[in-house]
């Protein structure tokens, strides 16, 4: 596996691969890799494609009350996992490499960034879209792969690419879960054993809400009430949001007629977890 922390070296590497006629596939990450990341990598390993993974903990997407220094990091462990997975190249720049000067230029995707995680984490998605756009300009991939655990992020990046006419195919990859149903996340390491057990309520409440919809419940507010009630009474988790949104554009839903996103953000102790499920609606109910 090739490895660099310098933009000019990566660009030279990519130019050589393109001269050989290879497509460029890209998986951007913040490191501390787990099976969710490895599923993205597996999807991105395609014939005649040169696969680049980036690791960069982006300070722009952390708010003033969010501890950037606390985000888990273990670069050498990540390197071993990437080598074992057969990745072609790793780009792991420093903050100084990515932001050599104070940033005065940002990329924002309006509307989609104002709800769910965007409502309680102002500026977060501006940081995400700015760094992803920078990485896209550096790597110039043909395809980029994003996990659907961060469903709102996936939709925002897809919209950014469409609105800015970037010649990149955004490829969504399904959520990978632990055996107990908990969605894979680098933040899971911060959970105590008791919190980890209680966090199982996220996937269980989503499954129960999906069953309620499939057996005829069409009120979005009632589904939200069921989600909040189950999480509160069975885990005492602190709910940031538990909402039903249109799966295509995150618009508000009153009556469930089309595919919807059941979206959760809940804190267990000091650890904020997100989870979601896209539910198709059976029209014959």
């Amino acid at each position: 596996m090739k490895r660099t922390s310098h933009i000019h070296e990566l660009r030279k590497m990519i130019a050589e691969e393109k001269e050989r006629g290879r497509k460029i596939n890209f998986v951007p990450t913040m490191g501390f890799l787990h099976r969710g990341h490895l599923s993205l990598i597996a999807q991105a390993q395609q014939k005649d494609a040169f696969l680049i993974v980036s690791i960069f903990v982006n300070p722009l997407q952390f708010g003033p009350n969010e501890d950037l220094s606390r985000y888990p990091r273990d670069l050498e462990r990540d390197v071993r996992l990437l080598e074992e997975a057969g990745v072609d190249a790793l780009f792991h720049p420093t903050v100084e490499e990515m932001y050599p000067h104070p940033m005065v230029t940002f990329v924002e995707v309006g509307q989609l960034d104002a709800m769910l995680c965007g409502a309680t984490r102002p500026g977060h998605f501006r940081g995400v879209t700015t760094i992803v756009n920078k990485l896209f300009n550096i790597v110039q991939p043909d395809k980029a792969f994003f996990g659907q655990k961060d469903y709102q992020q996936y939709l925002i990046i897809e919209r950014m690419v469409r609105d800015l006419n970037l010649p990149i195919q955004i490829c969504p990859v399904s959520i990978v879960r632990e055996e107990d149903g908990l969605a894979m996340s680098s933040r899971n390491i911060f959970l105590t054993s008791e919190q980890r057990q209680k966090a199982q309520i996220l996937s269980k409440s989503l499954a129960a809400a999906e069953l309620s919809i499939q057996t005829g419940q069409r009120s979005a507010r009632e589904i939200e009430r069921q989600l909040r009630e189950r999480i509160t009474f069975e885990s005492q988790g602190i709910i940031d949001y538990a909402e039903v949104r249109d799966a295509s554009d995150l618009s508000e839903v009153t009556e469930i007629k089309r595919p919807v996103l059941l979206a959760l953000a809940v804190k267990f102790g000091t650890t904020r977890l997100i989870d979601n499920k896209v539910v198709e609606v059976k029209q014959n109910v």
Side-chain angles (χ1 to χ4, degrees):
M1 181 178 71
K2 299 178 180 179
R3 175 178 170 181
T4 183
S5 59
H6 299 290
I7 293 171
H8 71 277
E9 289 181 357
L10 181 66
R11 282 179 163 158
K12 181 180 178 182
M13 186 190 308
I14 291 168
E16 291 172 351
E17 295 301 327
K18 287 189 172 183
E19 283 182 6
R20 297 188 180 105
R22 300 184 77 181
K23 299 289 186 182
I24 305 298
N25 286 358
F26 181 45
V27 178
T29 82
M30 292 210 301
F32 209 72
L33 305 178
H34 51 66
R35 282 198 292 117
H37 296 108
L38 297 179
S39 73
L40 295 174
I41 290 166
Q43 291 286 328
Q45 287 174 315
Q46 299 174 347
K47 186 179 180 181
D48 299 326
F50 185 78
L51 174 56
I52 299 170
V53 172
S54 67
I55 293 177
F56 181 66
V57 181
N58 175 37
L60 287 189
Q61 67 194 68
F62 287 79
N65 297 318
E66 299 173 342
D67 191 354
L68 170 64
S69 64
R70 187 170 177 257
Y71 194 86
R73 298 165 171 86
D74 190 339
L75 180 60
E76 293 313 310
R77 169 185 167 276
D78 290 344
V79 167
R80 290 195 299 273
L81 289 173
L82 295 175
E83 288 176 337
E84 291 169 3
V87 168
D88 295 305
L90 167 63
F91 178 50
H92 55 101
T94 62
V95 172
E96 293 73 24
E97 181 76 4
M98 294 303 291
Y99 302 119
H101 312 288
M103 288 288 290
V104 296
T105 304
F106 300 93
V107 179
E108 293 189 65
V109 177
Q111 298 180 350
L112 283 172
D113 68 351
M115 61 196 75
L116 301 178
C117 286
T120 53
R121 302 183 70 190
H124 168 70
F125 286 117
R126 185 178 80 161
V128 170
T129 46
T130 298
I131 188 59
V132 170
N133 197 57
K134 282 173 69 72
L135 288 167
F136 282 173
N137 284 324
I138 293 165
V139 176
Q140 298 188 351
D142 296 282
K143 296 179 180 180
F145 296 76
F146 291 86
Q148 288 190 302
K149 182 179 75 70
D150 298 296
Y151 192 91
Q152 183 177 14
Q153 173 181 279
Y154 151 66
L155 282 187
I156 286 173
I157 290 169
E158 185 183 54
R159 183 60 181 265
M160 177 186 76
V161 165
R162 193 180 346 138
D163 284 355
L164 299 182
N165 300 108
L166 302 180
I168 302 168
Q169 180 182 345
I170 302 301
C171 305
V173 179
S174 299
I175 295 173
V176 175
R177 298 185 179 277
E178 303 278 6
E179 289 185 6
D180 60 8
L182 186 65
M184 289 276 185
S185 171
S186 299
R187 289 184 170 88
N188 291 349
I189 192 175
F190 296 129
L191 297 170
T192 66
S193 57
E194 182 182 3
Q195 291 166 351
R196 170 62 183 269
Q197 186 173 14
K198 288 183 176 181
Q200 295 175 31
I201 192 61
L202 299 184
S203 60
K204 290 179 179 178
S205 62
L206 289 171
E210 178 181 34
L211 180 60
S212 184
I213 293 171
Q214 300 297 21
T215 54
Q217 180 56 252
R218 291 293 178 264
S219 168
R221 300 295 81 78
E222 174 58 21
I223 293 297
E224 290 172 350
R225 187 197 66 77
Q226 291 176 14
L227 286 167
R228 288 193 298 269
E229 182 178 84
R230 188 171 184 126
I231 291 168
T232 299
F233 284 107
E234 295 189 29
S235 74
Q236 291 79 51
I238 305 302
I239 298 172
D240 182 351
Y241 61 76
E243 296 189 25
V244 178
R245 293 276 177 165
D246 188 288
S248 65
D249 61 6
L250 302 184
S251 59
E252 292 186 358
V253 174
T254 301
E255 184 180 359
I256 300 171
K257 297 179 179 179
R258 299 183 301 278
V260 292
L261 176 74
L262 310 180
L264 300 175
V266 181
K267 287 186 75 173
F268 297 91
T270 60
T271 304
R272 180 180 182 274
L273 300 181
I274 61 172
D275 204 345
N276 70 76
K277 180 178 282 288
V278 175
V279 178
E280 303 283 342
V281 181
K282 294 180 180 178
Q283 299 298 332
N284 59 345
V285 172

